[in-house]
Amino acid sequence: MSQPNVSERVGIAGTGAIACGLARLAAPLGAVVVWARSPESAARARDEIRCGVGVTTDLADLSGCTYVVEAVVEDAAVKGDLLRELDAATDDGAILASTTSSLSVEGLARAAGRPDRFAALHVFNPVERMALVELAFPPAAADATRARTRALCEALGKTPIEVPDAPGFVVNRLLFPYLFAAVRLVEEQGIEPEAVDACMKLGAGHPTGPLKLLDYVGLDVAAAIGESIGETVPERVRELVAAGRLGRKSGAGFYDYG
């Protein structure tokens, strides 16, 4: 299937897995600029992306971008501060978007200073493999903002579905109570994570068990999402985070990854 033609010049603020995945997907559409907070982050991003995408540590280099996606840690204060900086650094006609998975879209749009040209673009990891993008907009979002956002998602080969501006949108609002219930089962019954995951894979047809999925998401990220959607975070998750066992990205979580 051919990709729709779009004329957006894409900027991405962040260098994590979501940011780098988006950069790789957007590269065939034209010049893409990725902003990194430090030279070390920039070097890691270049190694991770490896497709000729420009990486910079100067926000001013995003000034020529028409669609800029903020993709940093899921923290309202951190995202809000960066969005204010992006508002100052980019042209008035540019759309600012966030990859938030659980925060108030209207609140982020206020921080960005342009609620008519703001969108939440919740991309799932691994970015290249997951088809869905949850789209959410503040009430003031212009029709052109909605149309351009949908067109960009489709050009990236994604299926955009508009969801309410509610904590956790649809997927995380339904998913995390289930994931945390699996952790509580481990806590209360002493059953091993491998057994819980095997039961859900073999009995429910899930491609990945809940504990393995939490490790993939990142236990620190999972805790932040749980707090954002008002779901009680299990003590076992907090203990693992405190011990630095954040999941796959740190080499250990519910499982050890060597």
Side-chain angles (χ1 to χ4, degrees):
M1 188 174 88
S2 62
Q3 293 178 320
N5 183 36
V6 294
S7 57
E8 305 288 3
R9 298 186 301 279
V10 178
I12 299 168
T15 55
I18 295 294
C20 290
L22 277 173
R24 288 191 296 267
L25 273 185
L29 304 180
V32 177
V33 180
V34 172
W35 172 79
R37 196 174 293 278
S38 68
E40 294 77 17
S41 295
R44 286 195 298 272
R46 290 187 190 98
D47 289 342
E48 180 72 19
I49 299 168
R50 294 187 178 183
C51 60
V53 167
V55 181
T56 181
T57 56
D58 187 352
L59 275 180
D61 290 336
L62 299 177
S63 61
C65 296
T66 62
Y67 202 109
V68 178
V69 183
E70 166 274 306
V72 297
V73 64
E74 188 74 351
D75 181 285
V78 174
K79 285 182 178 292
D81 287 346
L82 178 55
L83 286 166
R84 278 184 280 273
E85 291 183 68
L86 290 171
D87 179 44
T90 55
D91 184 81
D92 287 344
I95 292 175
L96 296 184
S98 173
T99 59
T100 183
S101 59
S102 59
L103 299 174
S104 165
V105 178
E106 187 170 9
L108 293 175
R110 284 197 301 271
R114 51 181 82 185
D116 59 326
R117 284 166 286 110
F118 189 84
L121 198 150
H122 180 208
V123 180
F124 293 80
N125 198 27
V127 177
E128 285 97 336
R129 289 173 50 195
M130 302 295 281
L132 175 65
V133 177
E134 287 183 317
L135 298 184
F137 298 93
D143 290 343
T145 297
R146 296 170 186 266
R148 285 170 60 187
T149 298
R150 284 186 170 275
L152 177 60
C153 290
E154 289 167 0
L156 296 175
K158 301 301 182 185
T159 300
I161 297 179
E162 187 167 341
V163 296
D165 179 11
F169 303 140
V170 172
V171 173
N172 284 345
R173 188 162 183 168
L174 298 179
L175 177 62
F176 275 85
Y178 154 67
L179 297 180
F180 289 164
V183 179
R184 294 188 185 97
L185 187 63
V186 169
E187 290 176 326
E188 295 165 6
Q189 302 300 325
I191 186 171
E192 292 297 321
E194 292 88 348
V196 173
D197 284 349
C199 285
M200 295 310 296
K201 288 173 67 178
L202 300 176
H206 291 191
T208 304
L211 288 314
K212 184 78 77 172
L213 181 54
L214 278 168
D215 273 358
Y216 191 83
V217 169
L219 299 181
D220 54 336
V221 175
I225 292 172
E227 290 165 356
S228 296
I229 67 175
E231 185 72 18
T232 301
V233 179
E235 189 59 32
R236 180 73 175 275
V237 171
R238 296 196 184 278
E239 289 171 355
L240 289 170
V241 171
R245 295 176 64 98
L246 307 182
R248 190 178 185 91
K249 64 185 176 184
S250 70
F254 284 97
Y255 293 85
D256 289 311
Y257 295 93

